[in-house]
């Protein structure tokens, strides 16, 4: 832990860098790649005081990426652990007047964009947030967040710099390693206690670690400020159970200089109502900040607005209207005058015209009993447009199965492992959805099949036929029900063939196995390539393609490996004892199998996880309320895409 204030740099490298920075002309860009801590703080403040344009980067940014960004901004210098280095790059891209920082986005949803923040904007936001939280020389502040992110840079570093409030930082344990600080919850609270901090910052991802450790609350600390990623009711409930209502959530974007909304302090009753009983809100606008909800999207107008994206006027124009409104891309609503986020506009799930917000879905799943870290994501579906996917982390298969069977909104695709998040803990939903695929069949068409199969089963039972699936299937038939055969529907013909030949024994004297056996084999081969069984092969091909592989169709009941075994897929029907399946007795009649597709998805998912696959999942085939089985898959580390598949079963 390091305690710093707004004084001059004390580290030898920082002193050297600051001295060299003084020789640069105002407006020159300086790319900074340093671990979080006092040295980074000193260099950032030196740049600000010298009117240089700081471009702070993540300490793990590669040399190649650093060089690319330095060239993009025509940087005059680079500061890293070795000190300051002149780049020798010509200043061919002059910075706008009054520019203080260029903050490059993570690039998780596209190429990195350089957000230009002016001195006026950052000073305005830092002053407002400092006043909001009472930062003064007598009221120290602390942060465990990295100063190369906007939250800690503006509110914590500049806010304390402006007001003279002491700042407690959590620094990297080994400054020689280009790595973010490893969060030490007990150490953070101990340092806040020693410094007499009245306020301190955190993000939900670190808040979860804090609650796991559960250190004693620092005596002078009034509350924690959380932002940068959504706070769930589950996490707020755990916090309240341990520490009470001493938490304030905020919301903002780098494009609007950190905070634009902050929750007021709440008493215990209001905290329970707003944070625990509902999706936690992010508060009310800061002074001079205007809110507008445009078709559910948050628009913000504030003097604390970016100048634009570096050398990208087209993207700037798409983000900011002519009259100064920032289109945030975040969806929200107002509840009791407080802003409640509902997710990203690009992440809203449009399932056949039904709009679902990921945060609402996740809230419902938590209410249904699912715990831990997980994410609801949009999955492309040819008929509905999109369906709902679930990506989980450490949850057991049994817990996910219970959710699937109980929750009002059931995920159509489920992935164990491969949870992706930004450094601040925001789920990278779009990235996680890329490997997921799902299919739905037309419910009316499938209902016709079910009725025809049920009527067939009813007729066969009256002739003395015996099969475990016939009786449950016949229960779906109405008295006298006989669904008409649809033109071109091969599966109806197969059911009629079964009704006609169920009691036939075949010709055992035929050296080829009998005409009936050959007919059964032909029907079986045909069915695998026709609706509805062909949907399993189509879904398998989509799953494989989304993982970067191509190969021949994989029919129901066949296991295949793609990419030299790096991707295993297995199409399957509903498990025995599960939902009624009209094709169970038919497949049993045609090829002597159990007729259930051969696999119970939950048993196999548990086995695949036990075998150590880093990511496993299933895509469920459904027709309305009916479960048709689906496709299981398991992914090994990449061994090269676009290899052909080899069937093994």
């Amino acid at each position: 832990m390091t305690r710093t204030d707004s004084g001059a740099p004390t580290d030898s490298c920082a002193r050297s860098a600051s001295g060299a920075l003084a020789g640069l002309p105002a407006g020159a860009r300086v790319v900074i790649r340093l671990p979080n801590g006092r040295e980074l703080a000193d260099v950032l403040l030196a740049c600000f005081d010298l009117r240089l344009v700081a471009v702070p980067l993540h300490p793990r940014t590669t040399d190649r990426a650093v060089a690319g960004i330095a060239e993009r901004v025509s940087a005059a210098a680079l500061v890293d652990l070795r000190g300051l280095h002149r780049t020798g790059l010509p200043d061919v891209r002059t910075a706008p007047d009054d520019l203080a920082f260029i903050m490059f986005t993570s690039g998780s949803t596209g190429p990195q964009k350089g957000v230009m923040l002016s001195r006026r904007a950052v000073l305005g936001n830092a002053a407002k947030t400092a006043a909001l939280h009472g930062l003064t020389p007598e009221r120290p502040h602390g942060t465990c967040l990295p100063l190369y992110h906007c939250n800690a840079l503006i509110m914590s570093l500049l806010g304390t710099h402006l007001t003279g409030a002491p700042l407690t930082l959590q620094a990297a344990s080994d400054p020689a390693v280009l790595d973010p600080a490893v969060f030490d919850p007990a150490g953070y609270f101990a340092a806040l206690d020693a410094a007499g901090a009245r306020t301190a910052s955190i993000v939900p991802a670190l808040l979860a670690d804090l609650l796991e450790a559960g250190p004693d609350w620092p005596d002078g600390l009034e509350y924690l400020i959380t932002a940068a990623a959504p706070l769930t009711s589950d996490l707020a409930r755990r916090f309240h159970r341990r520490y009470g209502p001493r938490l304030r959530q905020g919301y903002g974007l780098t494009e609007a200089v950190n905070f634009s909304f902050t929750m007021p302090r709440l008493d215990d009753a209001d905290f329970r109502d707003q944070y625990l009983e509902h999706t936690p809100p992010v508060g009310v606008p800061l002074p001079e900040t205007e809110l507008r909800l445009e078709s559910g999207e948050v628009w913000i107008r504030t003097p604390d607005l970016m100048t634009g994206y570096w050398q990208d006027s087209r993207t700037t124009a798409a983000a900011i209207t002519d009259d100064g409104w920032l289109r945030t891309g975040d969806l929200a609503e107002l509840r009791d005058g407080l802003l409640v986020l509902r997710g990203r506009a690009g992440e809203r799930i449009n399932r056949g015209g039904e709009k679902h917000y990921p945060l609402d879905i996740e809230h419902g799943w938590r209410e249904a009993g699912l715990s831990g870290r997980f994410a609801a994501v949009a999955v492309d579906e040819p008929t509905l447009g999109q369906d709902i996917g679930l990506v989980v982390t450490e949850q057991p298969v049994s817990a996910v199965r219970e959710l699937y069977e109980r929750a009002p909104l059931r995920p159509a695709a489920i992935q164990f492992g491969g949870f992706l998040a930004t450094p601040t803990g925001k789920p990278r939903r779009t990235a996680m959805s890329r490997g997921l695929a799902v299919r739905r069949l037309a419910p009316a068409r499938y209902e016709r099949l079910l009725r025809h199969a049920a009527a067939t089963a009813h007729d066969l039972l009256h002739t003395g036929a015996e099969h475990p699936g016939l009786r449950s299937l016949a229960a779906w038939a109405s008295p006298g029900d006989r669904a008409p055969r649809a033109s071109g529907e091969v599966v109806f013909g197969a059911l009629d063939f079964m009704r006609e030949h169920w009691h036939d024994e075949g010709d055992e004297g035929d050296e080829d196995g009998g005409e009936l056996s050959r007919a059964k084999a032909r029907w079986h081969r045909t069915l695998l390539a026709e609706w509805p069984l062909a949907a399993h092969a189509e879904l398998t091909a989509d799953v494989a393609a989304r993982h970067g592989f191509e190969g021949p169709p994989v029919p129901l009941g066949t296991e295949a490996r793609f990419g030299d075994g790096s991707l295993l897929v297995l199409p399957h029907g509903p498990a025995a004892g599960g939902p009624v399946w009209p094709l169970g007795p038919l497949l049993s009649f045609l090829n002597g199998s159990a007729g259930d597709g051969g696999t119970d998805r939950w048993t196999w998912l548990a086995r695949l996880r036990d075998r150590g696959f880093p990511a496993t999942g299933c895509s469920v085939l459904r027709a309305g309320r009916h479960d048709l089985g689906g496709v299981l898959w398991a992914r090994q580390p990449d061994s090269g895409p676009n290899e052909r598949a080899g069937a093994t079963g």
Side-chain angles (χ1 to χ4, degrees), residues 340-362:
V340 181
L341 297 180
R342 294 303 187 191
R344 297 286 294 169
E347 296 171 345
R348 179 171 53 185
I349 302 170
N350 187 347
R351 190 171 71 166
E354 298 176 355
K355 307 297 194 305
H356 298 281
Y357 301 106
L359 291 177
D360 287 346
I361 296 172
E362 291 163 6

Side-chain angles (χ1 to χ4, degrees), residues 433-513:
S433 72
R434 291 184 186 126
L436 301 180
V438 69
R439 286 285 192 284
R440 280 182 176 253
L441 302 186
R445 186 181 183 187
Y446 193 78
E447 288 280 356
R448 289 197 300 271
L449 169 60
L450 184 58
R451 291 199 306 272
H452 192 93
T456 302
H458 186 269
D459 291 349
L460 287 173
L461 287 173
H462 276 77
T463 65
E466 292 291 339
H467 185 275
L470 286 176
R471 196 160 299 278
S472 60
L473 184 57
W476 283 79
S478 301
D481 191 12
R482 177 66 61 84
R485 178 173 177 178
S487 175
E489 210 75 281
V490 173
V491 65
F492 281 59
L495 287 166
D496 292 342
F497 174 81
M498 179 180 72
R499 178 192 292 109
E500 181 180 353
H501 296 285
W502 183 276
H503 297 288
D504 293 352
E505 297 181 357
D507 183 1
E508 297 297 333
D510 191 328
E511 64 180 7
D512 293 328

